[in-house]
Amino acid sequence: MAKNIVAYVGVSAFDIILYLSRILIKLDRRVLLVDNSETKALTCSFPQIQGVNTNIGCITYRSVDFTTQTVTYELSEQYDDVLIDFGFHQTKMDISLLTRVIYVVDILENNIFKMASMENFSDTVGKALFIRDMIDTRISIDHIISTVNKGISKSNTYLVPRDDGDYYNSFLCQLSKVPRFTHISHRMREVLFFEIKKLYREISERQLKMVYHKARRGE
Amino acid sequence: MKIVFWSPVHGQSASTSNTLIISLLAGIFMKKKCLLTQTHFNYNNLEAPLVQSNTKSDLDYFMDVGIDALVKRFKAERINYKIIENCCISLIDTNISLLPGTTKINREDFEDEIGLIAPGLIKEFDLFYDYVFVDANPSQNELSSKLMEDASLVVVNLSQNIGVVDMFFQSFRSEIKNKVFYLFGSYDCNSIYNINNIRRKYKEVTISNSGVIPYNTGFKDAQIGGRVIEFVRKNLNCNKSNSNYYFMMKSIAATEKIIKMAGKEQKGGKEI
């Protein structure tokens, strides 16, 4: 089985997933990205190829494999890291395969309540909460954490302020189908570093900075 | 072993470039005795990247050598190794003898003559060389068909243009009865039509019978400057930090697969 099978649940995190995959590739990992979301935002970041159905198979693009099928044990065995975008979709996947769950919300109440109404994916694996598109509203982080109600502590909650550069970068990823992140914000960079260190604790800060710089151009 | 390089289209699949790099690696890296030749009439560029001249522009250089001279001798007497070598240009320290193409200016005369003689002639080469690499005319061509019938392996040169690949499988595949190796030239690994996806789309293209020759600016410039032998020698043991590393790594991998499929197994110059 893959070392890391990470689920991203909630509002779109396709950009974070894409950027992480580029860093993992530079660490010589075999990576599979899975789009099981209702928005298909991650799917839009990959060029289409006629004759290969991603509902039953994978495509390879810039050294990363991509699929929209449900992840199974047999599929996960071929990879080191599997990153899955579930969106708000209730999955058919065997949840016991997951090694980590990231809940992703923004500050909009409908999304917070939607997240609250979703079942807990797992109580046994590591989990974190990303609150995206944060703006200065005086809204209480503790209020969001308790409403979301996924048993996540404040130390595992990460705030990502709204940033036009991040938004533009994610727009370019979908438009050009090239997963570059040369102009992301400092906070977004911190999120990526945070996640990579969670997945691979043995990686040094120096090595991480080196691969990050190589990965930014999407090559 | 006769290895025929062929493409369903002219000018798109880098067939001649592929023939050059594969034969050079077979000779220099795998240290096998090779003969390299071509059956094109014109618009081909096999000789110039190796010797800085080609058969149509520099007739003096190719006087008394080449396929024309060999055909004359073949008609007159039984050929032997010495006769073949006298008609070839020996590429120093490569283990490759280059048999230049025709200098004739009348296409019909050339095609009539070569069509009758070439298959028999190329069979004779087998006795004296480990591998005979033939750059054959693309698309539907009677001579190419005859050469492919007798080949130990047919290397079908394709590009990442899926229209060409579709056209090959629809119109040409059933006509090739021998073993086939699919070689994708001027390869761009960043394309969605990369080799992994092509193998998924076309089940007949597998890991063991397909390979790629990446697009490489250094190799292209070396071809234009007539310095491909120097290029290969300089980059044969290059490391990851060298910009030509990917090109060399993939070309060597493709060469090893081709040699293995053709019948003799090789790994790094040693027979196994």
Side-chain angles (χ1 to χ4, degrees), chain A:
Chain A
M1 200 176 87
K3 184 173 191 283
N4 297 301
I5 302 180
V6 184
Y8 289 78
V9 182
V11 301
S12 186
F14 83 94
D15 48 349
I16 296 174
I17 292 171
L18 264 182
Y19 306 156
L20 284 172
S21 71
R22 302 315 305 167
I23 299 172
L24 290 166
I25 286 297
K26 291 299 178 193
L27 291 168
D28 293 328
R29 306 294 189 249
R30 296 166 300 162
V31 179
L32 174 67
L33 299 188
V34 185
D35 191 351
N36 288 156
S37 71
E38 68 282 11
T39 62
K40 298 297 176 203
L42 191 56
T43 304
C44 283
S45 310
F46 284 83
Q48 294 305 301
I49 174 169
Q50 288 208 356
V52 182
N53 185 350
T54 53
N55 290 331
I56 53 174
C58 297
I59 61 168
T60 304
Y61 183 60
R62 295 180 180 246
S63 308
V64 171
D65 278 10
F66 170 77
T67 187
T68 51
Q69 61 185 305
T70 303
V71 174
T72 59
Y73 179 84
E74 291 74 26
L75 180 62
S76 70
E77 269 191 313
Q78 300 167 45
Y79 301 96
D80 298 309
D81 301 294
V82 180
L83 308 181
I84 311 168
D85 186 359
F86 279 124
F88 283 108
H89 201 228
Q90 291 291 351
T91 181
K92 295 173 193 168
M93 178 190 159
D94 178 4
I95 306 248
S96 65
L97 293 176
L98 295 174
T99 61
R100 186 166 165 75
V101 181
I102 311 291
Y103 296 96
V104 190
V105 287
D106 53 26
I107 58 170
L108 297 178
E109 287 230 323
N110 63 305
N111 288 328
I112 296 172
F113 288 139
K114 217 170 170 181
M115 176 65 74
S117 67
M118 287 188 82
E119 282 179 32
N120 272 2
F121 266 59
S122 174
D123 285 323
T124 53
V125 300
K127 43 194 173 181
L129 176 66
F130 287 175
I131 306 175
R132 298 196 70 159
D133 296 337
M134 281 294 296
I135 53 176
D136 185 15
T137 62
R138 297 186 193 174
I139 191 166
S140 159
I141 305 303
D142 292 318
H143 166 73
I144 296 176
I145 293 173
S146 66
T147 309
V148 159
N149 192 26
K150 294 289 179 276
I152 300 170
S153 63
K154 210 168 177 181
S155 59
N156 282 319
T157 299
Y158 223 84
L159 309 182
V160 188
R162 185 170 182 79
D163 184 273
D164 284 345
D166 288 346
Y167 187 64
Y168 183 64
N169 207 91
S170 61
F171 157 74
L172 284 179
C173 285
Q174 285 199 342
L175 181 74
S176 67
K177 317 294 184 205
V178 177
R180 284 200 189 100
F181 48 101
T182 45
H183 297 108
I184 56 172
S185 66
H186 185 71
R187 284 309 291 262
M188 179 63 84
R189 181 176 184 256
E190 283 183 2
V191 165
L192 299 177
F193 274 47
F194 169 80
E195 262 310 288
I196 295 289
K197 283 177 191 169
K198 286 287 183 191
L199 298 178
Y200 290 99
R201 291 176 199 278
E202 67 275 19
I203 287 177
S204 67
E205 187 79 16
R206 187 166 170 267
Q207 188 186 7
L208 188 46
K209 280 182 184 167
M210 262 175 52
V211 297
Y212 174 84
H213 282 287
K214 283 184 192 171
R216 288 163 75 216
R217 286 190 294 272
E219 285 152 13

Side-chain angles (χ1 to χ4, degrees), chain B residues 154-166:
Chain B
V154 176
V155 176
V156 176
N157 292 272
L158 298 167
S159 68
Q160 286 166 284
N161 179 342
I162 292 301
V164 170
V165 183
D166 280 341

Side-chain angles (χ1 to χ4, degrees), chain B residues 24 57 64 84 104 134 136 141 157 163 187-188 222 231 250:
Chain B
L24 282 170
S57 63
D64 296 332
I84 298 172
K104 286 191 166 138
V134 183
N141 180 280
N157 292 272
Y187 179 73
D188 176 6
F231 176 88
K250 289 295 180 186

Side-chain angles (χ1 to χ4, degrees), chain B residues 3-225:
Chain B
I3 303 176
V4 174
F5 284 71
W6 173 86
S7 170
V9 292
H10 182 78
Q12 278 194 47
S13 310
S15 188
T16 300
S17 291
N18 295 346
T19 314
L20 272 172
I21 187 63
I22 299 288
S23 59
L24 282 170
L25 287 171
I28 298 173
F29 178 67
M30 293 181 159
K31 302 187 194 321
K32 295 320 280 188
K33 204 160 147 192
C34 305
L35 183 128
L36 172 62
T37 189
Q38 50 124 333
T39 56
H40 295 248
F41 179 72
N42 59 8
Y43 302 126
N44 201 47
N45 199 24
L46 187 74
E47 293 90 12
L50 294 163
V51 298
Q52 297 183 342
S53 293
N54 72 36
T55 51
K56 288 293 189 291
S57 63
D58 196 343
L59 299 179
D60 289 340
Y61 189 95
F62 295 98
M63 197 176 287
D64 296 332
V65 296
I67 203 159
D68 299 330
L70 192 58
V71 163
K72 267 188 206 160
R73 301 291 295 267
F74 185 64
K75 282 183 198 173
E77 59 186 308
R78 188 172 179 82
I79 58 165
N80 55 37
Y81 178 69
K82 194 176 170 187
I83 293 173
I84 298 172
E85 283 291 298
N86 285 342
C87 295
C88 286
I89 299 172
S90 179
L91 304 175
I92 311 281
D93 290 338
T94 63
N95 301 305
I96 298 173
S97 299
L98 169 67
L99 180 66
T102 186
T103 55
K104 286 191 166 138
I105 51 176
N106 187 306
R107 181 191 279 273
E108 268 182 34
D109 282 349
F110 167 70
E111 287 184 353
D112 286 343
E113 189 173 54
I114 210 72
L116 287 170
I117 293 190
L121 182 62
I122 290 173
K123 261 188 195 167
E124 295 288 318
F125 296 156
D126 236 2
L127 301 170
F128 308 112
Y129 297 92
D130 294 322
Y131 301 102
V132 178
F133 295 96
V134 183
D135 181 13
N137 282 354
S139 195
Q140 278 170 323
N141 180 280
E142 209 178 310
L143 173 59
S144 297
S145 300
K146 281 187 199 166
L147 291 172
M148 287 197 282
E149 268 172 32
D150 291 335
S152 312
L153 179 69
V154 176
V155 176
V156 176
N157 292 272
L158 298 167
S159 68
Q160 286 166 284
N161 179 342
I162 292 301
V164 170
V165 183
D166 280 341
M167 187 259 284
F168 166 75
F169 280 107
Q170 280 161 21
S171 309
F172 292 101
R173 179 62 189 99
S174 53
E175 292 170 21
I176 305 176
K177 308 294 177 204
N178 296 34
K179 282 189 281 190
V180 172
F181 185 91
Y182 300 98
L183 189 60
F184 293 85
S186 292
Y187 179 73
D188 176 6
C189 63
N190 287 328
S191 168
I192 187 66
Y193 297 103
N194 53 62
I195 190 68
N196 291 330
N197 291 337
I198 288 174
R199 286 172 184 149
R200 288 183 180 117
K201 187 173 158 68
Y202 303 98
K203 301 298 176 199
E204 198 178 318
V205 181
T206 63
I207 293 177
S208 56
N209 73 2
S210 63
V212 303
I213 304 293
Y215 183 87
N216 181 275
T217 307
F219 185 66
K220 276 268 170 298
D221 287 345
Q223 281 182 267
I224 295 164

